[in-house]
Amino acid sequence: MSSFEQLQKQAATLGLSGTDALHYITSQQAYEWDERASVRQEQREEAERQAQREEAERQAQREEAERQEQREEVERQERLELA
C-alpha cells in the first residue's frame, strides 16, 4: 500500500499539483483499496473451497467406514451361518 506521502511524490514526479494531484492520490487510494478488497474476497473464496474439500473428504471417510462396518457385519453373519 502506498502511503499518502509516497503518492504525493508520485504525483509531483508526474508533474501534477493542486486538485490534479489530489485527484491522482484519491484515485490511487481507491484503486489500492479495490485491489485489497479483491484479494480478501479471493482469500475468502479459497478458504470456502478448502473447507468444502475437507468436508467432502470427511464425508467420504465416514462413508467408507460405514461400508467397512457393513462388510464386517456380513462376514460375521456368514461365519455364524457356517458354524
Side-chain angles (χ1 to χ4, degrees):
M1 179 173 124
S2 299
S3 71
F4 185 78
E5 291 79 22
Q6 288 172 320
L7 291 172
Q8 280 181 315
K9 289 178 184 177
Q10 289 175 2
T13 301
L14 294 170
L16 302 174
S17 62
T19 57
D20 289 337
L22 184 58
H23 183 309
Y24 171 80
I25 292 167
T26 56
S27 295
Q28 286 298 92
Q29 288 173 329
Y31 172 78
E32 290 174 4
W33 185 90
D34 288 344
E35 285 297 307
R36 288 190 309 275
S38 177
V39 167
R40 286 189 303 272
Q41 179 64 25
E42 180 57 36
Q43 289 170 337
R44 281 190 296 272
E45 290 171 1
E46 178 56 33
E48 185 176 323
R49 286 189 296 269
Q50 180 65 28
Q52 289 172 345
R53 286 190 296 268
E54 290 171 0
E55 179 55 32
E57 179 63 28
R58 284 190 297 273
Q59 180 64 28
Q61 289 173 350
R62 284 191 297 271
E63 291 171 0
E64 179 57 32
E66 288 175 12
R67 285 191 295 275
Q68 182 63 29
E69 284 180 29
Q70 290 171 349
R71 285 190 294 270
E72 290 171 0
E73 182 60 29
V74 167
E75 289 174 6
R76 278 193 292 275
Q77 291 297 326
E78 288 174 350
R79 283 195 302 271
L80 287 174
E81 290 173 4
L82 293 174

